[in-house]
Amino acid sequence: MTLHRPLAKLAAALAGAAVLFASLSAQARELSVSTVLSDAFPWGQAAEKWAELVEERTEGRITLRVYPNSQLVNGDQTREFSAMRSGLIDAAVGSTINWSPQVPELNLFSLPFFLPDEAAVDAVTGGEAGEMIFAAIESRDVIPLGWGENGFRQLSNSQGAIDEPADLEGLKIRVVGSPLFQDTFDALGADPTQMSWADAKPALTTGAVDGQENPLSVFDVARIDQVGQEHLTLWNYMNDPLIFAVNRQVWESLDEGDREILREAAVEAGQWEIAMTREQESERLAAIQERGVTVTELTDAQYQAFVAATESVHDEWVPQIGEAIVEAARSAVESR
């Protein structure tokens, strides 16, 4: 009988190890994370950084698998928030622009010429208005965790330099699928054409549209100058913050410790990406100019002409965004 005890102990130990392994395996989770752009862009790098931090801090128990290029919504970036809300997507690093059709409060950042500089953006996202916007997102069954930044959007075209509203008259400008963008470019006399980013470059290549608006990082990495966009106007007409977020049911299925890890990692990844994006701006602009793109920088008077031309857009959209949020943001901008 004693001869079999070592074997019995070994069998028991192996059985215990098997149970422990099965238990650990059961706890391991993979969450899908949607982004519009790949890790060739700061946006995609933000998602990868989040995934890296979470995997490291959970010792592999939670893996964030990043799906770039809006592939989880078949290329339709404006469906990303709805897909996350319904649970088709676990998490996302998304654009305030793309989510604004489902969260009207996010149109705050798309109000033309409302946020003049980076300090204004930080004052809004880090203050009362930012808290109100996060509450609006959470009320729609998505848990926002942290901010990132796609940057100020600049205007390019294939026809000529633009330094006053009249220069936009009749130009076909590709815009994202947001009614606010349509109204903004209508007010400026342009012919806005809504299409996804997947369709934008082919349209620019064929001349189906004359121009587009995007941050310098997108213009640079996507080499938009190679599809006839030889003129670039730096007008900072709006900023596009990014938001790290998780589906509510997924969030509530995690224990408190893992929630804190996801949140802290999102905040850290966002801060890292914001700093990187801003630091690279001057380098990107120099590279764009070296490739032969004509860059126009507006004077204060020229900037104010665009502000005046889009006042009617504010009148129409502030009530839809919410007077309280806009006032909180305006106070933050004025006191920055």
Side-chain angles (χ1 to χ4, degrees):
M1 192 73 175
T2 54
L3 292 176
H4 297 291
R5 282 179 183 172
L7 293 177
K9 289 181 179 180
L10 178 60
L14 291 174
V19 169
L20 177 61
F21 180 80
S23 175
L24 292 173
S25 297
Q27 294 175 18
R29 293 187 65 176
E30 179 179 286
L31 305 180
S32 61
V33 180
S34 175
T35 66
V36 170
L37 297 178
S38 72
D39 60 4
F41 302 82
W43 186 342
Q45 292 165 20
E48 293 291 351
K49 183 70 170 180
W50 188 24
E52 173 189 320
L53 292 173
V54 168
E55 183 168 11
E56 174 187 308
R57 292 172 186 179
T58 63
E59 298 181 337
R61 285 185 298 100
I62 299 178
T63 301
L64 304 186
R65 184 176 179 184
V66 180
Y67 294 83
N69 303 316
S70 304
Q71 59 184 287
L72 296 179
V73 286
N74 297 318
D76 185 354
Q77 59 211 60
T78 60
R79 289 180 51 227
E80 184 177 70
F81 186 86
S82 294
M84 179 167 47
R85 184 180 186 182
S86 68
L88 294 176
I89 293 172
D90 296 324
V93 180
S95 157
T96 56
I97 299 171
N98 293 334
W99 294 1
S100 64
Q102 290 81 41
V103 188
E105 292 86 351
L106 291 175
N107 283 301
L108 172 73
F109 299 102
S110 298
L111 281 174
F113 307 101
F114 182 68
L115 299 171
D117 52 36
E118 291 167 348
V121 176
D122 293 342
V124 171
T125 58
E128 181 184 4
E131 293 175 358
M132 295 168 76
I133 286 171
F134 268 25
I137 294 172
E138 188 163 347
S139 72
R140 293 166 172 89
D141 294 327
V142 170
I143 309 300
L145 304 179
W147 296 95
E149 186 169 276
N150 198 23
F152 279 102
R153 297 175 80 89
Q154 316 298 358
L155 177 68
S156 73
N157 82 101
S158 59
Q159 302 302 308
I162 294 174
D163 60 19
E164 61 179 352
D167 294 332
L168 274 161
E169 188 69 36
L171 287 185
K172 291 182 178 180
I173 305 295
R174 175 266 173 181
V175 296
V176 297
S178 164
L180 177 47
F181 280 67
Q182 187 86 27
D183 290 348
T184 296
F185 282 89
D186 279 339
L188 292 169
D191 180 9
T193 303
Q194 295 184 1
M195 61 179 65
S196 69
W197 179 240
D199 296 330
K201 270 191 102 171
L204 292 167
T205 301
T206 62
V209 292
D210 300 308
Q212 61 86 51
E213 46 75 54
N214 254 308
L216 288 183
S217 61
V218 175
F219 189 99
D220 182 29
V221 177
R223 299 300 294 267
I224 297 178
D225 50 289
Q226 293 183 342
V227 291
Q229 299 295 286
E230 300 174 352
H231 303 276
L232 179 66
T233 297
L234 304 181
W235 63 343
N236 283 15
Y237 88 113
M238 65 147 294
N239 190 280
D240 181 24
L242 303 175
I243 297 174
F244 295 71
V246 179
N247 165 273
R248 179 182 291 280
Q249 289 186 331
V250 170
W251 181 254
E252 292 179 349
S253 72
L254 300 171
D255 64 38
E256 192 62 37
D258 286 342
R259 291 181 194 176
E260 191 61 27
I261 288 173
L262 250 66
R263 189 187 301 278
E264 289 180 354
V267 170
E268 185 175 326
Q271 292 172 341
W272 171 83
E273 186 266 343
I274 290 170
M276 175 182 63
T277 298
R278 293 177 180 180
E279 288 171 2
Q280 292 175 346
E281 285 284 279
S282 59
E283 182 181 330
R284 292 192 186 283
L285 182 58
I288 290 167
Q289 289 176 303
E290 287 175 5
R291 297 201 295 266
V293 176
T294 300
V295 176
T296 299
E297 297 190 52
L298 302 181
T299 65
D300 288 341
Q302 289 170 333
Y303 180 87
Q304 289 304 320
F306 283 99
V307 172
T310 53
E311 283 182 359
S312 61
V313 181
H314 286 242
D315 294 339
E316 180 179 350
W317 278 88
V318 167
Q320 299 182 52
I321 296 167
E323 297 278 357
I325 289 179
V326 175
E327 280 307 309
R330 185 174 286 117
S331 295
V333 172
E334 291 173 352
S335 62
R336 72 191 188 280

